[in-house]
Amino acid sequence: MTDLFAPDSHDWDPRADSVQRDQMAAYDEMRRRCPVAYSDYLQWSLFRHEDVMRVLTDHETFSNAASRHLSVPNAMDPPEHTRFRRLIEPYFSPEAMASFEPHCREIAESVVARLPQTGEIEAMAELGQNFALEIQCAFMGWPSSLHEPLRDWIRQQHDATLAGDRERLEKLALEFDGVIRELLETRRTAGAAAPDDVTTRLLRETVEGRPLRDEEIVSIIRNWTVGELGTIAASVGILVRYLAEHPNLQARLRGEPELLPAAIDEILRLDAPLMSNRRVTTKPVMIGGRRLEAGEKLTLLWGAANRDEAVFGDPDECRLDRDAETNLLYGAGIHVCPGAPLARMELRLIMEALLADTIHLALIADKPAIRARFPAGGYSAVPVRWRAERQGSSPDLVRPMGKKDPAG
C-alpha cells in the first residue's frame, strides 16, 4: 500500500483512493508503519490504542477546544466542560432510558415492519437512515414533518463535506441552526402549553445560576442530532452487513438475543461508525516517538485504535467476551459519549426487531456494499437479500455468501 504515503515530506495522504476504498484496511497499515502520522488534511493522526488512550486521559496536555465554533460540551475543557456535562447527563440516565424505551421499541418495530416481506433492500437508506431520523425526532419531541427535511439536509451536508465546500457547509450549518431556533421559539410562544419533551426541558436549564443562552442550546441540540443521525444510521448499516456475511452469528443472536449488546459493541469495534475526533496540544509533547509543539491539531482515529493488535489480538476476530473497558466505541475518560446509553438502547432494539422479523439476511454477490468516505464511517450503501418471518413466508432460503463465521 505504498500510495498511502504522500509524494512530499508528509507521512500519508488520508484522501488517497487506496485509503478511501477501505479506511479500516488503510488504518491497519498505518498503525503498523507510522502510528503517529502527519498530513495537511488531518494534521497529526493517531492510530494506536495506547496513544489514543493517553490523549483521552490527559486533558491538560490535549485540549478538546479544537473547534472554531461553539460546541457544547464537545469542544470544552474542565471546569467549563464539567458544568455542562453535569447538566446533560440526566437526559441519558437509566430512568430517562427506561421511560423512552417503549416508544423506541415501537419505532424500531414499525421501521422493520415497513420493509418488504422478501427480496432485496438497501439497508442504509431503508433501515438505518429511516430509523435514525424517526428515533431522533421522537427523542427530541419533534414532529414527523421534519423527517424528510432532515434527510435532505444530511445528504447536502455529506455532499458538501466530500467536496470540501466550506461556504456551503457554513450555509447548511446556519440553516440547521435556524430550524432549531424555530423549534425553541415555538415552545416559548406556547408557554405552559409547550410539550414536556427534551427540547422544552433544555429551555428551562440553568448553568452557574443563569439560563442557558440560545446559542448554547442550539449547540447542544446540533451535537446530539448531527451525531445521532450519522452514527446510528452508519451503525445499523455495519451491523446488518456483518450479520448478513456471518449467518452462524446471525442465527445465534436470534436464539440468544441477550447476547446482542456485547455483539453490537464488538461488531462496531471491528468497523467504526464514527471515524475520528479532534484534539489540540496545549504544550510541547512527545507521543509515539514524534515531537509535537503547542497548538498542534490531532485527529484520533477510533477505527484504527479499536483494531490495535496490541490490545485485541487479531483485529478481525469477533469475540463476545472481550473486556468492555478496552473498546473505544464511545470514547473514554471525561469526554466519553454521554449519549452512549441511548445509542446502545436504540441499536439493541432495532437489531432485536430485525432479527425477530427475519429468517434470512444475506449479502448479494454481485452487489457489494459500498464503503463510506472520510469523515463518514461504515458504508454508503449496504444491499442485502432478506426474507421476513411473517405469515405466508416461504421457508425456501437463498444460501448466503460469506467468509469464516466467528462467534458462531
Side-chain angles (χ1 to χ4, degrees):
M1 298 183 67
T2 56
D3 55 341
L4 282 176
F5 293 87
D8 53 20
S9 60
H10 298 156
D11 298 311
W12 73 310
D13 180 4
R15 288 171 289 188
D17 285 343
S18 60
V19 175
Q20 293 299 324
R21 278 195 302 269
D22 189 342
Q23 293 182 69
M24 295 295 96
Y27 297 164
D28 286 348
E29 178 73 7
M30 287 300 297
R31 188 176 57 251
R32 301 174 190 121
R33 297 178 63 174
C34 190
V36 178
Y38 186 80
S39 68
D40 278 337
Y41 183 45
L42 298 180
Q43 285 75 55
W44 293 100
S45 296
L46 275 58
F47 297 87
R48 292 191 305 203
H49 193 281
E50 175 186 3
D51 296 332
V52 169
M53 278 299 298
R54 178 182 170 191
V55 171
L56 295 177
T57 54
D58 183 0
H59 53 266
E60 293 182 359
T61 304
F62 304 99
S63 168
N64 246 47
S67 174
R68 296 184 296 118
H69 306 287
L70 177 67
S71 183
V72 182
N74 303 40
M76 292 177 169
D77 295 318
E80 187 180 34
H81 169 268
T82 307
R83 292 192 288 267
F84 282 95
R85 180 75 183 221
R86 189 180 299 123
L87 176 156
I88 284 169
E89 285 183 341
Y91 288 87
F92 306 99
S93 68
E95 295 77 17
M97 295 302 93
S99 176
F100 185 54
E101 182 168 357
H103 192 27
C104 186
R105 186 184 300 279
E106 179 183 350
I107 292 171
E109 292 174 351
S110 172
V111 169
V112 171
R114 294 200 303 268
L115 296 173
Q117 181 165 301
T118 187
E120 297 179 8
I121 63 168
E122 198 287 283
M124 279 298 298
E126 296 181 64
L127 188 64
Q129 290 174 10
N130 284 348
F131 179 63
L133 285 164
E134 293 185 31
I135 207 69
Q136 179 62 11
C137 286
F139 179 72
M140 297 302 302
W142 297 348
S144 59
S145 59
L146 277 180
H147 293 169
E148 293 312 310
L150 281 173
R151 189 195 305 274
D152 184 60
W153 183 86
I154 293 166
R155 179 188 58 77
Q156 291 190 59
Q157 188 196 47
H158 176 73
D159 292 345
T161 299
L162 291 182
D165 188 341
R166 284 191 168 275
E167 183 178 346
R168 182 63 180 144
L169 286 170
E170 292 283 352
K171 183 179 179 181
L172 287 167
L174 289 175
E175 288 178 5
F176 186 79
D177 288 359
V179 171
I180 298 174
R181 290 179 187 276
E182 286 182 14
L183 291 163
L184 298 180
E185 187 57 34
T186 298
R187 283 158 172 75
R188 284 199 177 100
T189 301
D196 183 22
D197 56 29
V198 167
T199 304
T200 300
R201 289 196 290 275
L202 282 169
L203 280 169
R204 302 170 183 153
E205 294 286 3
T206 61
V207 61
E208 293 189 301
R210 64 164 177 84
L212 288 180
R213 295 189 291 269
D214 270 11
E215 58 266 32
E216 293 168 336
I217 300 174
V218 168
S219 176
I220 291 169
I221 294 176
R222 185 198 313 120
N223 286 334
W224 286 0
T225 304
V226 175
E228 173 85 355
L229 294 179
T231 55
I232 290 298
S235 295
V236 171
I238 291 166
L239 292 165
V240 170
R241 186 198 173 278
Y242 192 89
L243 293 182
E245 188 179 24
H246 298 91
N248 290 347
L249 179 58
Q250 186 186 142
R252 183 181 180 189
L253 293 175
R254 281 197 182 91
E256 301 177 80
E258 67 274 10
L259 297 178
L260 266 172
I264 289 169
D265 277 12
E266 175 69 350
I267 293 168
L268 298 180
R269 177 196 66 78
L270 295 168
D271 202 343
L274 177 65
M275 276 299 175
S276 65
N277 273 146
R278 295 180 294 169
R279 297 290 191 274
V280 61
T281 55
T282 61
K283 56 188 175 184
V285 63
M286 291 289 297
I287 186 165
R290 310 294 290 265
R291 177 179 172 82
L292 279 60
E293 301 300 329
E296 296 275 12
K297 295 179 180 178
L298 290 81
T299 300
L300 310 183
L301 288 166
W302 306 116
N306 253 351
R307 293 174 55 83
D308 192 335
E309 296 87 347
V311 176
F312 302 103
D314 179 357
D316 289 312
E317 182 185 8
C318 181
R319 286 180 43 193
L320 306 188
D321 61 346
R322 290 193 189 275
D323 179 2
E325 294 298 315
T326 60
N327 190 337
L328 300 179
L329 175 60
Y330 295 101
I334 63 170
H335 293 287
V336 66
C337 177
L342 176 62
R344 283 192 165 106
M345 181 179 72
E346 290 171 347
L347 293 173
R348 172 177 58 82
L349 292 176
I350 189 66
M351 296 312 294
E352 279 183 3
L354 182 66
L355 292 175
D357 200 52
T358 60
I359 53 175
H360 175 64
L361 281 172
L363 299 181
I364 304 171
D366 59 348
K367 294 183 180 179
I370 301 171
R371 279 280 180 187
R373 298 176 70 87
F374 189 90
Y379 301 85
S380 59
V382 179
V384 294
R385 182 174 289 112
W386 101 317
R387 191 180 300 278
E389 190 171 33
R390 300 173 190 158
Q391 187 174 3
S393 293
S394 169
D396 296 329
L397 303 183
V398 179
R399 175 183 290 275
M401 60 176 283
K403 298 182 293 186
K404 181 181 178 183
D405 193 7

